[in-house]
Amino acid sequence: MRQETGRKAVRPETGYAVVWCRDFRLQAVRRHVQRLGPVALVDDARRQSIVLCANEAASRHGVAAGMPTVQAIARCPDLQVDRPSEAAELAARCLLLETALAWVPGVEETAPGILTLDLSTQPGDRWFDGAWTLRQALEDRGIEIVAGLGATPALARLAAQAALHEDEAIWLLPEDGRLERLDRLPLVLGETGPELREKLTLWGIQSLGAFARLRREAIAARLGDEAVELWLRLHGRLRRPLQFVKPGERFEAHHEFEVGVAEREPLVFLLRRFLGELSGRIADVGRVVASMHLLLSFSDGASYGRRLVPPEPTLDEEVLLRLATGHLENVEMRSTVASLRLWLEDSDPVASQRVFFGTGLRNRHRCEETLARLRRLVGADRVGSPRRINSHRPEIFARAPLPVELGENRGDPPGPPVSGPTLRRYAVARRATVRMREGRPFRIEAPGVSGVVNAVHGPWKSEGDWWHRGRGWERVEWDVDLLHQGLFRLVGTTRGWTLEGYYD
Amino acid sequence: MPDVATRLNAVKSLRKELGSRLFFGTDLLREFGKNGAGEAFPPAGGVAGESGIAGLVAGLRPGRLTEVVVAGPSQGGGLVLAALLARARLEGSYAMLFDVGSGFAVESFPDRDLETLLWVGCDSVLQAVTAFDIAARDENFRWFVLDGREGKSEDWRAVRPSLWQRISLLLRERGAAGLILARTPVTGVSKDRHEVTARFGLEALHAERSRLFSAVRVGQGSGNHGEGGRRRLAG
């Protein structure tokens, strides 16, 4: 009989984590605001303003959800109030999701601020460290969470509630010793109805551990389905499929100003914050920023939107900020800004291997910034890499973008050598008076340049664009050597003679 | 054979150490050349074995501002620009031209030399110097040419000396070379100044350009140091 050695059936470990953000709506609003002391989120939309949630400091003063705001302030005179913000909540939800997705691919958004994570893709010995890293990553971005780890989603949720109750960062409900740990938890964490809790209390059952030690048949006979469901949950026998979310496809942030903003500084401040958040989220999913959409809404109902594209996809916040603020400087603000929206398009990171002994632009972003500043100074049509165009018409050439990379082969290509000095044109061709002798220029008089022609080459006749109505041109060129002056190009057209430039 | 992660880490650490100095392999060659020869660039004013404009351009120093004074038309100023563009192309580095009066004639230069050139058309000397001040911060460009042959003397004098100082400092920081083409000396900040003179006849229009380079006489400019020099600046 052949003996199989070294092979062992590996059963994947199943486990779940529940990430719980306490007072999520409040945290979403104030995660960028460093406020110490009692804070409450209030709902002003109703006829009577009421408290939606409050932080621990406020709760210690007796402020509770559902309480009228007036009463809450009476109980806690130092209470600071905030209004809920859908935009802030959306941003916080996206942040939570994407941070969790950076750890595991299976994430369910159970409720706003509560995520259930399937840890089966991770080795069991790394669950705790992973949860801790997740907590740190979110804390760095202004969101405080607790996490519960358990064998089923229900146990993980219970563990998260235990963490909130025990004021611990991460709570574990392992297979071994589960009942002992449940002994520490009150019945209220079982999320059952008050009638069942009251009945169990009358029976002398004070903890979930004590309840779990009862026999299932006895519970079913005396307490009904709700109690059986709790018993199954506590024993890890109740499982439900998770509804996983897809990775975020829209990286967007927006802010509505309570009072219209007339200056650019607050906009730049917000842009910096948005870019920090959104680029961090994009980095978490292993992608980079390909373009930015900037949308400003003004108080008079007008709006302004622009897509800004960096020279190459990047995650550099400073580069993106310079691009956005550089553009913002040129936006004409006729009325105050009511809201600012920023949406980043993501793309794959650029994966290219440069030619080792080739050269090219060292910093494309810097180059684009320089070009933008130069264009603002001299005009957009006067910056570019000059290129000949397929025409004999003088003075015109194309402005091409600089090549990003230059090849290795930079030697002289085969072909005839370049000849002659270079031509330099005057900014404005100088009108000239030309005296002819035997059909050739003999003496030239023009502003700044006058003299006798020592030698002359020509005439060189050219014409073109006659097939376009009104754009045709025709000219006669002479290369003239003016005595003691130099070499010049003399041009004769139907409008007379001009000195176009000189050879240098 | 080390594993992939080890090799990647080694490359990362090497890049971290050398990244700020060496971006391309050609930089590495330049570094080797510097270490081996002791002097990567020939001294200002030319190199042994090369004369005329070729020697002048070969001797341009990185990190310095150099003036080339061309007294009038057909004295070889355009050839200095042509030689510099050819050098930039051979080195595989980018050049920027601030063209006062926008008189650059694209047909006078071979296409291959235009690939690495960024042209900036300017209305005045002051605009060109301002553009120079902006662009000198960009590490992508190794050569800057301010062609102010059509600039007026009073325009040159209107440029604040502090602006020249800042440009000079930026060039030194970036290791880029700046060249000013003008009719007269324009600033005391430039460390090197050359006067270019030539006398071309019409036959030069058909002569090989490389021969014209050596036909131009290059002399050390006057008045680039000391009070006497400052008095003679800008006409």
PDB file of all heavy atoms in Angstrom, chain A residues 190-193 196-197 199-200 203 208 211-212 214-216 218-235 238:
ATOM      1  N   GLY A 190     -27.085  41.425  22.778  1.00  0.00           N
ATOM      2  CA  GLY A 190     -27.646  40.382  21.921  1.00  0.00           C
ATOM      3  C   GLY A 190     -28.622  40.904  20.899  1.00  0.00           C
ATOM      4  O   GLY A 190     -29.056  40.172  20.009  1.00  0.00           O
ATOM      5  N   GLU A 191     -28.983  42.193  21.002  1.00  0.00           N
ATOM      6  CA  GLU A 191     -29.878  42.840  20.041  1.00  0.00           C
ATOM      7  C   GLU A 191     -31.208  42.090  19.924  1.00  0.00           C
ATOM      8  O   GLU A 191     -31.662  41.763  18.822  1.00  0.00           O
ATOM      9  CB  GLU A 191     -29.210  42.960  18.660  1.00  0.00           C
ATOM     10  CG  GLU A 191     -28.010  43.868  18.670  1.00  0.00           C
ATOM     11  CD  GLU A 191     -27.407  44.040  17.288  1.00  0.00           C
ATOM     12  OE1 GLU A 191     -26.751  43.127  16.794  1.00  0.00           O
ATOM     13  OE2 GLU A 191     -27.620  45.108  16.703  1.00  0.00           O
ATOM     14  N   THR A 192     -31.774  41.804  21.073  1.00  0.00           N
ATOM     15  CA  THR A 192     -33.094  41.171  21.083  1.00  0.00           C
ATOM     16  C   THR A 192     -34.113  42.178  21.592  1.00  0.00           C
ATOM     17  O   THR A 192     -33.750  43.281  22.034  1.00  0.00           O
ATOM     18  CB  THR A 192     -33.091  39.953  22.001  1.00  0.00           C
ATOM     19  OG1 THR A 192     -32.712  40.370  23.319  1.00  0.00           O
ATOM     20  CG2 THR A 192     -32.150  38.879  21.509  1.00  0.00           C
ATOM     21  N   GLY A 193     -35.385  41.768  21.566  1.00  0.00           N
ATOM     22  CA  GLY A 193     -36.436  42.656  22.023  1.00  0.00           C
ATOM     23  C   GLY A 193     -36.407  42.815  23.544  1.00  0.00           C
ATOM     24  O   GLY A 193     -35.866  41.968  24.259  1.00  0.00           O
ATOM     25  N   LEU A 196     -37.919  39.803  25.779  1.00  0.00           N
ATOM     26  CA  LEU A 196     -37.061  38.630  26.006  1.00  0.00           C
ATOM     27  C   LEU A 196     -35.995  38.945  27.059  1.00  0.00           C
ATOM     28  O   LEU A 196     -35.727  38.142  27.967  1.00  0.00           O
ATOM     29  CB  LEU A 196     -36.405  38.203  24.698  1.00  0.00           C
ATOM     30  CG  LEU A 196     -35.432  37.018  24.787  1.00  0.00           C
ATOM     31  CD1 LEU A 196     -36.171  35.753  25.267  1.00  0.00           C
ATOM     32  CD2 LEU A 196     -34.757  36.744  23.450  1.00  0.00           C
ATOM     33  N   ARG A 197     -35.422  40.126  26.965  1.00  0.00           N
ATOM     34  CA  ARG A 197     -34.378  40.512  27.923  1.00  0.00           C
ATOM     35  C   ARG A 197     -34.947  40.550  29.337  1.00  0.00           C
ATOM     36  O   ARG A 197     -34.343  40.086  30.294  1.00  0.00           O
ATOM     37  CB  ARG A 197     -33.800  41.881  27.556  1.00  0.00           C
ATOM     38  CG  ARG A 197     -32.759  41.852  26.465  1.00  0.00           C
ATOM     39  CD  ARG A 197     -31.796  43.020  26.590  1.00  0.00           C
ATOM     40  NE  ARG A 197     -32.483  44.305  26.625  1.00  0.00           N
ATOM     41  CZ  ARG A 197     -32.830  45.019  25.558  1.00  0.00           C
ATOM     42  NH1 ARG A 197     -32.557  44.538  24.356  1.00  0.00           N
ATOM     43  NH2 ARG A 197     -33.437  46.169  25.669  1.00  0.00           N
ATOM     44  N   LYS A 199     -37.564  38.943  30.474  1.00  0.00           N
ATOM     45  CA  LYS A 199     -37.873  37.585  30.949  1.00  0.00           C
ATOM     46  C   LYS A 199     -36.612  36.876  31.424  1.00  0.00           C
ATOM     47  O   LYS A 199     -36.586  36.249  32.494  1.00  0.00           O
ATOM     48  CB  LYS A 199     -38.526  36.808  29.809  1.00  0.00           C
ATOM     49  CG  LYS A 199     -39.241  35.545  30.267  1.00  0.00           C
ATOM     50  CD  LYS A 199     -39.907  34.856  29.098  1.00  0.00           C
ATOM     51  CE  LYS A 199     -41.177  35.581  28.674  1.00  0.00           C
ATOM     52  NZ  LYS A 199     -41.894  34.853  27.604  1.00  0.00           N
ATOM     53  N   LEU A 200     -35.539  37.018  30.640  1.00  0.00           N
ATOM     54  CA  LEU A 200     -34.281  36.356  31.010  1.00  0.00           C
ATOM     55  C   LEU A 200     -33.720  36.936  32.313  1.00  0.00           C
ATOM     56  O   LEU A 200     -33.186  36.215  33.148  1.00  0.00           O
ATOM     57  CB  LEU A 200     -33.261  36.506  29.885  1.00  0.00           C
ATOM     58  CG  LEU A 200     -33.550  35.718  28.596  1.00  0.00           C
ATOM     59  CD1 LEU A 200     -32.565  36.075  27.495  1.00  0.00           C
ATOM     60  CD2 LEU A 200     -33.490  34.222  28.869  1.00  0.00           C
ATOM     61  N   TRP A 203     -35.368  35.487  35.130  1.00  0.00           N
ATOM     62  CA  TRP A 203     -34.904  34.109  35.377  1.00  0.00           C
ATOM     63  C   TRP A 203     -33.504  34.065  36.006  1.00  0.00           C
ATOM     64  O   TRP A 203     -32.976  33.008  36.284  1.00  0.00           O
ATOM     65  CB  TRP A 203     -34.876  33.310  34.066  1.00  0.00           C
ATOM     66  CG  TRP A 203     -36.232  32.950  33.546  1.00  0.00           C
ATOM     67  CD1 TRP A 203     -37.428  33.295  34.076  1.00  0.00           C
ATOM     68  CD2 TRP A 203     -36.498  32.168  32.390  1.00  0.00           C
ATOM     69  NE1 TRP A 203     -38.464  32.798  33.329  1.00  0.00           N
ATOM     70  CE2 TRP A 203     -37.912  32.089  32.264  1.00  0.00           C
ATOM     71  CE3 TRP A 203     -35.713  31.538  31.436  1.00  0.00           C
ATOM     72  CZ2 TRP A 203     -38.537  31.396  31.230  1.00  0.00           C
ATOM     73  CZ3 TRP A 203     -36.348  30.848  30.417  1.00  0.00           C
ATOM     74  CH2 TRP A 203     -37.759  30.777  30.309  1.00  0.00           C
ATOM     75  N   LEU A 208     -24.738  37.009  28.198  1.00  0.00           N
ATOM     76  CA  LEU A 208     -24.940  36.203  27.000  1.00  0.00           C
ATOM     77  C   LEU A 208     -24.328  34.817  27.183  1.00  0.00           C
ATOM     78  O   LEU A 208     -24.827  33.833  26.631  1.00  0.00           O
ATOM     79  CB  LEU A 208     -24.322  36.901  25.790  1.00  0.00           C
ATOM     80  CG  LEU A 208     -25.036  38.180  25.326  1.00  0.00           C
ATOM     81  CD1 LEU A 208     -24.249  38.872  24.221  1.00  0.00           C
ATOM     82  CD2 LEU A 208     -26.450  37.866  24.838  1.00  0.00           C
ATOM     83  N   PHE A 211     -26.759  32.648  28.954  1.00  0.00           N
ATOM     84  CA  PHE A 211     -27.838  32.258  28.049  1.00  0.00           C
ATOM     85  C   PHE A 211     -27.383  31.147  27.104  1.00  0.00           C
ATOM     86  O   PHE A 211     -28.106  30.182  26.849  1.00  0.00           O
ATOM     87  CB  PHE A 211     -28.314  33.478  27.259  1.00  0.00           C
ATOM     88  CG  PHE A 211     -29.360  33.148  26.237  1.00  0.00           C
ATOM     89  CD1 PHE A 211     -30.680  32.931  26.618  1.00  0.00           C
ATOM     90  CD2 PHE A 211     -29.035  33.033  24.890  1.00  0.00           C
ATOM     91  CE1 PHE A 211     -31.631  32.610  25.672  1.00  0.00           C
ATOM     92  CE2 PHE A 211     -29.991  32.719  23.947  1.00  0.00           C
ATOM     93  CZ  PHE A 211     -31.301  32.505  24.353  1.00  0.00           C
ATOM     94  N   ALA A 212     -26.138  31.276  26.615  1.00  0.00           N
ATOM     95  CA  ALA A 212     -25.642  30.293  25.644  1.00  0.00           C
ATOM     96  C   ALA A 212     -25.463  28.918  26.260  1.00  0.00           C
ATOM     97  O   ALA A 212     -25.440  27.912  25.540  1.00  0.00           O
ATOM     98  CB  ALA A 212     -24.311  30.790  25.062  1.00  0.00           C
ATOM     99  N   LEU A 214     -27.586  27.455  28.171  1.00  0.00           N
ATOM    100  CA  LEU A 214     -28.879  26.759  28.245  1.00  0.00           C
ATOM    101  C   LEU A 214     -29.007  25.782  27.086  1.00  0.00           C
ATOM    102  O   LEU A 214     -28.362  25.962  26.039  1.00  0.00           O
ATOM    103  CB  LEU A 214     -30.028  27.778  28.190  1.00  0.00           C
ATOM    104  CG  LEU A 214     -30.080  28.820  29.323  1.00  0.00           C
ATOM    105  CD1 LEU A 214     -31.191  29.810  29.056  1.00  0.00           C
ATOM    106  CD2 LEU A 214     -30.274  28.151  30.675  1.00  0.00           C
ATOM    107  N   ARG A 215     -29.860  24.770  27.252  1.00  0.00           N
ATOM    108  CA  ARG A 215     -30.069  23.795  26.173  1.00  0.00           C
ATOM    109  C   ARG A 215     -31.010  24.374  25.123  1.00  0.00           C
ATOM    110  O   ARG A 215     -31.972  25.062  25.438  1.00  0.00           O
ATOM    111  CB  ARG A 215     -30.655  22.499  26.730  1.00  0.00           C
ATOM    112  CG  ARG A 215     -29.608  21.667  27.504  1.00  0.00           C
ATOM    113  CD  ARG A 215     -30.070  20.239  27.718  1.00  0.00           C
ATOM    114  NE  ARG A 215     -31.379  20.173  28.361  1.00  0.00           N
ATOM    115  CZ  ARG A 215     -32.437  19.590  27.792  1.00  0.00           C
ATOM    116  NH1 ARG A 215     -32.351  19.080  26.589  1.00  0.00           N
ATOM    117  NH2 ARG A 215     -33.592  19.536  28.444  1.00  0.00           N
ATOM    118  N   ARG A 216     -30.719  24.059  23.874  1.00  0.00           N
ATOM    119  CA  ARG A 216     -31.475  24.641  22.775  1.00  0.00           C
ATOM    120  C   ARG A 216     -32.947  24.197  22.827  1.00  0.00           C
ATOM    121  O   ARG A 216     -33.851  25.016  22.596  1.00  0.00           O
ATOM    122  CB  ARG A 216     -30.845  24.194  21.452  1.00  0.00           C
ATOM    123  CG  ARG A 216     -31.564  24.701  20.237  1.00  0.00           C
ATOM    124  CD  ARG A 216     -30.897  24.182  18.981  1.00  0.00           C
ATOM    125  NE  ARG A 216     -31.676  24.497  17.799  1.00  0.00           N
ATOM    126  CZ  ARG A 216     -31.328  24.127  16.585  1.00  0.00           C
ATOM    127  NH1 ARG A 216     -30.236  23.428  16.382  1.00  0.00           N
ATOM    128  NH2 ARG A 216     -32.099  24.444  15.558  1.00  0.00           N
ATOM    129  N   ALA A 218     -34.764  23.347  25.347  1.00  0.00           N
ATOM    130  CA  ALA A 218     -35.485  24.011  26.424  1.00  0.00           C
ATOM    131  C   ALA A 218     -35.837  25.441  26.040  1.00  0.00           C
ATOM    132  O   ALA A 218     -36.935  25.945  26.319  1.00  0.00           O
ATOM    133  CB  ALA A 218     -34.636  23.986  27.688  1.00  0.00           C
ATOM    134  N   ILE A 219     -34.887  26.097  25.363  1.00  0.00           N
ATOM    135  CA  ILE A 219     -35.130  27.486  24.921  1.00  0.00           C
ATOM    136  C   ILE A 219     -36.277  27.508  23.909  1.00  0.00           C
ATOM    137  O   ILE A 219     -37.188  28.341  23.990  1.00  0.00           O
ATOM    138  CB  ILE A 219     -33.844  28.076  24.316  1.00  0.00           C
ATOM    139  CG1 ILE A 219     -32.818  28.306  25.421  1.00  0.00           C
ATOM    140  CG2 ILE A 219     -34.126  29.379  23.586  1.00  0.00           C
ATOM    141  CD1 ILE A 219     -31.461  28.723  24.919  1.00  0.00           C
ATOM    142  N   ALA A 220     -36.225  26.556  22.956  1.00  0.00           N
ATOM    143  CA  ALA A 220     -37.251  26.529  21.923  1.00  0.00           C
ATOM    144  C   ALA A 220     -38.623  26.276  22.538  1.00  0.00           C
ATOM    145  O   ALA A 220     -39.641  26.843  22.102  1.00  0.00           O
ATOM    146  CB  ALA A 220     -36.924  25.442  20.899  1.00  0.00           C
ATOM    147  N   ALA A 221     -38.691  25.411  23.582  1.00  0.00           N
ATOM    148  CA  ALA A 221     -39.967  25.085  24.200  1.00  0.00           C
ATOM    149  C   ALA A 221     -40.521  26.246  25.002  1.00  0.00           C
ATOM    150  O   ALA A 221     -41.733  26.448  25.071  1.00  0.00           O
ATOM    151  CB  ALA A 221     -39.801  23.852  25.096  1.00  0.00           C
ATOM    152  N   ARG A 222     -39.626  27.043  25.621  1.00  0.00           N
ATOM    153  CA  ARG A 222     -40.123  28.053  26.563  1.00  0.00           C
ATOM    154  C   ARG A 222     -40.073  29.496  26.037  1.00  0.00           C
ATOM    155  O   ARG A 222     -40.869  30.330  26.443  1.00  0.00           O
ATOM    156  CB  ARG A 222     -39.298  27.988  27.855  1.00  0.00           C
ATOM    157  CG  ARG A 222     -39.516  26.688  28.630  1.00  0.00           C
ATOM    158  CD  ARG A 222     -38.577  26.628  29.817  1.00  0.00           C
ATOM    159  NE  ARG A 222     -38.840  25.451  30.616  1.00  0.00           N
ATOM    160  CZ  ARG A 222     -38.359  24.240  30.341  1.00  0.00           C
ATOM    161  NH1 ARG A 222     -37.602  24.057  29.268  1.00  0.00           N
ATOM    162  NH2 ARG A 222     -38.655  23.210  31.128  1.00  0.00           N
ATOM    163  N   LEU A 223     -39.082  29.809  25.146  1.00  0.00           N
ATOM    164  CA  LEU A 223     -38.873  31.229  24.793  1.00  0.00           C
ATOM    165  C   LEU A 223     -39.162  31.562  23.320  1.00  0.00           C
ATOM    166  O   LEU A 223     -39.152  32.729  22.939  1.00  0.00           O
ATOM    167  CB  LEU A 223     -37.433  31.633  25.130  1.00  0.00           C
ATOM    168  CG  LEU A 223     -37.081  31.595  26.617  1.00  0.00           C
ATOM    169  CD1 LEU A 223     -35.592  31.823  26.801  1.00  0.00           C
ATOM    170  CD2 LEU A 223     -37.853  32.678  27.366  1.00  0.00           C
ATOM    171  N   GLY A 224     -39.348  30.586  22.495  1.00  0.00           N
ATOM    172  CA  GLY A 224     -39.747  30.889  21.116  1.00  0.00           C
ATOM    173  C   GLY A 224     -38.595  31.132  20.166  1.00  0.00           C
ATOM    174  O   GLY A 224     -37.418  30.957  20.505  1.00  0.00           O
ATOM    175  N   ASP A 225     -38.959  31.565  18.939  1.00  0.00           N
ATOM    176  CA  ASP A 225     -38.002  31.677  17.831  1.00  0.00           C
ATOM    177  C   ASP A 225     -36.907  32.722  18.080  1.00  0.00           C
ATOM    178  O   ASP A 225     -35.762  32.533  17.702  1.00  0.00           O
ATOM    179  CB  ASP A 225     -38.747  32.043  16.544  1.00  0.00           C
ATOM    180  CG  ASP A 225     -39.625  30.895  16.078  1.00  0.00           C
ATOM    181  OD1 ASP A 225     -39.411  29.775  16.572  1.00  0.00           O
ATOM    182  OD2 ASP A 225     -40.526  31.129  15.250  1.00  0.00           O
ATOM    183  N   GLU A 226     -37.285  33.860  18.662  1.00  0.00           N
ATOM    184  CA  GLU A 226     -36.310  34.933  18.859  1.00  0.00           C
ATOM    185  C   GLU A 226     -35.145  34.452  19.723  1.00  0.00           C
ATOM    186  O   GLU A 226     -33.969  34.719  19.442  1.00  0.00           O
ATOM    187  CB  GLU A 226     -36.985  36.150  19.508  1.00  0.00           C
ATOM    188  CG  GLU A 226     -36.104  37.377  19.545  1.00  0.00           C
ATOM    189  CD  GLU A 226     -36.744  38.545  20.265  1.00  0.00           C
ATOM    190  OE1 GLU A 226     -37.771  38.331  20.945  1.00  0.00           O
ATOM    191  OE2 GLU A 226     -36.225  39.661  20.152  1.00  0.00           O
ATOM    192  N   ALA A 227     -35.480  33.709  20.764  1.00  0.00           N
ATOM    193  CA  ALA A 227     -34.439  33.205  21.669  1.00  0.00           C
ATOM    194  C   ALA A 227     -33.601  32.130  20.969  1.00  0.00           C
ATOM    195  O   ALA A 227     -32.373  32.067  21.156  1.00  0.00           O
ATOM    196  CB  ALA A 227     -35.087  32.637  22.938  1.00  0.00           C
ATOM    197  N   VAL A 228     -34.273  31.297  20.156  1.00  0.00           N
ATOM    198  CA  VAL A 228     -33.520  30.263  19.430  1.00  0.00           C
ATOM    199  C   VAL A 228     -32.543  30.915  18.455  1.00  0.00           C
ATOM    200  O   VAL A 228     -31.387  30.495  18.323  1.00  0.00           O
ATOM    201  CB  VAL A 228     -34.497  29.323  18.684  1.00  0.00           C
ATOM    202  CG1 VAL A 228     -33.718  28.354  17.797  1.00  0.00           C
ATOM    203  CG2 VAL A 228     -35.356  28.554  19.672  1.00  0.00           C
ATOM    204  N   GLU A 229     -33.007  31.963  17.793  1.00  0.00           N
ATOM    205  CA  GLU A 229     -32.139  32.668  16.837  1.00  0.00           C
ATOM    206  C   GLU A 229     -30.912  33.254  17.550  1.00  0.00           C
ATOM    207  O   GLU A 229     -29.788  33.161  17.059  1.00  0.00           O
ATOM    208  CB  GLU A 229     -32.966  33.760  16.141  1.00  0.00           C
ATOM    209  CG  GLU A 229     -32.261  34.395  14.972  1.00  0.00           C
ATOM    210  CD  GLU A 229     -31.687  35.755  15.318  1.00  0.00           C
ATOM    211  OE1 GLU A 229     -32.191  36.400  16.260  1.00  0.00           O
ATOM    212  OE2 GLU A 229     -30.718  36.158  14.660  1.00  0.00           O
ATOM    213  N   LEU A 230     -31.127  33.802  18.744  1.00  0.00           N
ATOM    214  CA  LEU A 230     -29.998  34.337  19.523  1.00  0.00           C
ATOM    215  C   LEU A 230     -29.050  33.204  19.917  1.00  0.00           C
ATOM    216  O   LEU A 230     -27.825  33.354  19.838  1.00  0.00           O
ATOM    217  CB  LEU A 230     -30.541  35.055  20.776  1.00  0.00           C
ATOM    218  CG  LEU A 230     -29.478  35.577  21.745  1.00  0.00           C
ATOM    219  CD1 LEU A 230     -28.566  36.595  21.057  1.00  0.00           C
ATOM    220  CD2 LEU A 230     -30.128  36.210  22.981  1.00  0.00           C
ATOM    221  N   TRP A 231     -29.633  32.067  20.344  1.00  0.00           N
ATOM    222  CA  TRP A 231     -28.793  30.933  20.762  1.00  0.00           C
ATOM    223  C   TRP A 231     -27.939  30.442  19.589  1.00  0.00           C
ATOM    224  O   TRP A 231     -26.745  30.177  19.734  1.00  0.00           O
ATOM    225  CB  TRP A 231     -29.723  29.806  21.261  1.00  0.00           C
ATOM    226  CG  TRP A 231     -28.983  28.696  21.945  1.00  0.00           C
ATOM    227  CD1 TRP A 231     -28.687  28.578  23.257  1.00  0.00           C
ATOM    228  CD2 TRP A 231     -28.446  27.525  21.304  1.00  0.00           C
ATOM    229  NE1 TRP A 231     -28.000  27.436  23.514  1.00  0.00           N
ATOM    230  CE2 TRP A 231     -27.819  26.763  22.310  1.00  0.00           C
ATOM    231  CE3 TRP A 231     -28.430  27.067  19.991  1.00  0.00           C
ATOM    232  CZ2 TRP A 231     -27.200  25.548  22.054  1.00  0.00           C
ATOM    233  CZ3 TRP A 231     -27.793  25.852  19.734  1.00  0.00           C
ATOM    234  CH2 TRP A 231     -27.196  25.109  20.763  1.00  0.00           C
ATOM    235  N   LEU A 232     -28.555  30.353  18.420  1.00  0.00           N
ATOM    236  CA  LEU A 232     -27.805  29.912  17.229  1.00  0.00           C
ATOM    237  C   LEU A 232     -26.689  30.906  16.890  1.00  0.00           C
ATOM    238  O   LEU A 232     -25.591  30.520  16.513  1.00  0.00           O
ATOM    239  CB  LEU A 232     -28.759  29.767  16.043  1.00  0.00           C
ATOM    240  CG  LEU A 232     -29.743  28.598  16.110  1.00  0.00           C
ATOM    241  CD1 LEU A 232     -30.741  28.682  14.960  1.00  0.00           C
ATOM    242  CD2 LEU A 232     -29.005  27.267  16.051  1.00  0.00           C
ATOM    243  N   ARG A 233     -27.003  32.176  17.026  1.00  0.00           N
ATOM    244  CA  ARG A 233     -25.980  33.189  16.747  1.00  0.00           C
ATOM    245  C   ARG A 233     -24.797  33.046  17.692  1.00  0.00           C
ATOM    246  O   ARG A 233     -23.639  33.096  17.291  1.00  0.00           O
ATOM    247  CB  ARG A 233     -26.578  34.598  16.900  1.00  0.00           C
ATOM    248  CG  ARG A 233     -27.204  35.139  15.623  1.00  0.00           C
ATOM    249  CD  ARG A 233     -27.380  36.634  15.720  1.00  0.00           C
ATOM    250  NE  ARG A 233     -28.516  37.012  16.553  1.00  0.00           N
ATOM    251  CZ  ARG A 233     -28.520  38.067  17.365  1.00  0.00           C
ATOM    252  NH1 ARG A 233     -27.445  38.816  17.485  1.00  0.00           N
ATOM    253  NH2 ARG A 233     -29.591  38.369  18.073  1.00  0.00           N
ATOM    254  N   LEU A 234     -25.106  32.855  18.980  1.00  0.00           N
ATOM    255  CA  LEU A 234     -24.037  32.784  19.975  1.00  0.00           C
ATOM    256  C   LEU A 234     -23.175  31.535  19.786  1.00  0.00           C
ATOM    257  O   LEU A 234     -22.005  31.525  20.159  1.00  0.00           O
ATOM    258  CB  LEU A 234     -24.623  32.811  21.384  1.00  0.00           C
ATOM    259  CG  LEU A 234     -25.355  34.106  21.758  1.00  0.00           C
ATOM    260  CD1 LEU A 234     -25.931  34.011  23.163  1.00  0.00           C
ATOM    261  CD2 LEU A 234     -24.420  35.301  21.673  1.00  0.00           C
ATOM    262  N   HIS A 235     -23.766  30.500  19.205  1.00  0.00           N
ATOM    263  CA  HIS A 235     -22.998  29.270  18.980  1.00  0.00           C
ATOM    264  C   HIS A 235     -22.393  29.206  17.582  1.00  0.00           C
ATOM    265  O   HIS A 235     -21.833  28.185  17.204  1.00  0.00           O
ATOM    266  CB  HIS A 235     -23.897  28.053  19.219  1.00  0.00           C
ATOM    267  CG  HIS A 235     -24.094  27.776  20.683  1.00  0.00           C
ATOM    268  ND1 HIS A 235     -23.236  26.983  21.418  1.00  0.00           N
ATOM    269  CD2 HIS A 235     -25.026  28.229  21.561  1.00  0.00           C
ATOM    270  CE1 HIS A 235     -23.637  26.938  22.679  1.00  0.00           C
ATOM    271  NE2 HIS A 235     -24.729  27.694  22.798  1.00  0.00           N
ATOM    272  N   LEU A 238     -25.452  30.224  12.962  1.00  0.00           N
ATOM    273  CA  LEU A 238     -26.309  31.008  12.070  1.00  0.00           C
ATOM    274  C   LEU A 238     -25.402  31.786  11.107  1.00  0.00           C
ATOM    275  O   LEU A 238     -24.638  32.652  11.535  1.00  0.00           O
ATOM    276  CB  LEU A 238     -27.166  31.976  12.892  1.00  0.00           C
ATOM    277  CG  LEU A 238     -28.372  32.544  12.180  1.00  0.00           C
ATOM    278  CD1 LEU A 238     -29.389  31.466  11.872  1.00  0.00           C
ATOM    279  CD2 LEU A 238     -29.015  33.632  13.045  1.00  0.00           C
TER     280      LEU A 238
END
